[in-house]
Amino acid sequence: MASDAGRKQFWKRSGAKVPGSIQHVYGAQHPPFDPLLHGTLIKPGSKQPTTPVKLKKVSTFQEFESNTSDAWDLGDDDDELLAIAAENLNTEVVMETAHKVIQNHSKLQEQHKFQEEHLQEEKQVESAELTSIACGDNRLVKSVSEGHTSSSSDYASENSSMQRSQSLPQASSPSLVSGMTDCNTSVTPALTEREASRLDKFKQLLAGPNTDLEELRKLSWSGIPKRVRPIAWKLLSGYLPANVDRRESTLKRKRKEYFAFIEQYYDSRNDENHQDTYRQIHIDIPRMSPEVLRLQPKVTEIFERILFIWAIRHPASGYVQGINDLVTPFFVVFICEYIEEEEVENFDVSSLPEEVLQNIEADSYWCMSKLLDGIQDNYTFAQPGIQKKVKMLEELVSRIDEQVHRHLDQHEVKYLQFAFRWMNNLLMREVPLRCTIRLWDTYQSEPEGFSHFHLYVCAAFLVRWRKEILEEKDFQELLIFLQNLPTVHWGNEEISVLLAEAYRLKFAFADAPNHYKK
């Protein structure tokens, strides 16, 4: 008896163990780097490629920078952002969040399993009842059976239609429908208790005279409610100042400045020096997602202006394919600010007042510019930033999952062949738009989220598919799978688990780079 009591006390005391800016490079407008035509990466010590365009005579880099100062102009409102740029998130808070996400994911899986078992029991009961009825009245059985068959047929037809729509490419409207109806909060209008509590925390934080940006980053890491996402993104990107009294004047000044650029530069789009840039932008926009937006002439017009003005004002890189995708999340989030609960895929953007459209356009331009300031070496000549990150991804995966790395190597699959797009488009072509928006909540909450944390997200993303990767035994099938990953049904749950795993990798490897260097 004493032994049994001792064991009970031991198990009672014991708990389950939780498992687990850039140095600006002067370049020229250039075509995108094609990884399929370049079998090797830039090796240390090798001669770096030079631009084919003849450089103008400039004695020093400082003179060139001063001559094109607008391309690197940080603006008046960046002091606060720069002051906290070096500050790290509270690691204990984020690690706790990561563990909670994983625990919640496990609980949800158990709930789903219970619901499936309960549903199976109900079906068995229903079948028994129908059998009992059949013994009493054949005519009634026929009536019930026909009604059940009709219902099943209707359901099958509806389910088949849904499956067909969900099997469409990620650029299709179903992805947007799901992404926009919830905007990564609740699908239903009524918020859950947890969502309402989080929304209140955001509102209280944003209501003060000076928003605590560090606290906003901590709250936003786990996702931002739709209702406050526009203002939160503008603050986190550094577009708006933390001081509430300065925001209105800042918005007016920046929006006026953007349309001054339009007036100054946009008419030159057909000039000989710029027509190639404009033509490429015009070609790329129809390839963007979501399809329902890109097919609207008003949206095409707005995107062409944003991308052309950015290219003109950033001669170090000019326009490069892939930059066009980075406008979309900002544009969609800022539209949600004005259309409340309406679904964007059913919304005619041109029906918005012209002043509202201008505000959305200018805000999207400036926030995209802030993002690109941190990853501009991804788009300079030969895109060295991307090549470097793909190499780091390869080294990291070789440490965290040697079997997957060896499998890819044995079948001669190069990381550039699939991961180049992951870096160039920030995974926007790999996951639905709703997932991209959720990812960007966290990216903007992380120090160097788009340039540094994204590497760990890509590593976690690749290892997430280890079972499927190891099952493929052919180069072609492996590459097709890696370039068309089945994420069309992904939502907040999958992204939250992915981010938690990415943070775990960052926590383990970021401060110890030798862990993943060979």
Side-chain angles (χ1 to χ4, degrees), residues 2 5 27 50 54 58 66 70 84-85 103 137 177 190 227 246 255 273 333 368 388 400 445 454 463 470 474 502:
T50 57
K54 186 176 180 180
V58 180
S66 63
D70 60 344
I84 66 165
Q103 286 181 313
D137 192 336
V177 173
R227 299 179 190 178
R246 294 177 55 205
R255 289 166 179 172
N273 294 337
V333 166
M368 184 198 74
K388 178 181 177 182
I400 64 177
S445 306
H454 180 66
V463 175
L470 295 176
D474 176 72

Side-chain angles (χ1 to χ4, degrees), residues 197-242:
S197 174
R198 279 180 53 77
L199 180 59
D200 287 341
K201 289 180 181 179
F202 274 94
K203 287 182 176 180
Q204 291 174 12
L205 182 61
L206 295 170
N210 287 285
T211 301
D212 185 337
L213 294 180
E214 183 179 358
E215 189 63 29
L216 180 61
R217 290 174 188 274
K218 292 178 183 178
L219 272 179
S220 301
W221 203 99
S222 299
I224 305 173
K226 173 187 174 182
R227 299 179 190 178
V228 295
R229 181 175 280 126
I231 181 67
W233 275 27
K234 291 171 187 176
L235 286 165
L236 292 171
S237 66
Y239 175 45
L240 283 185

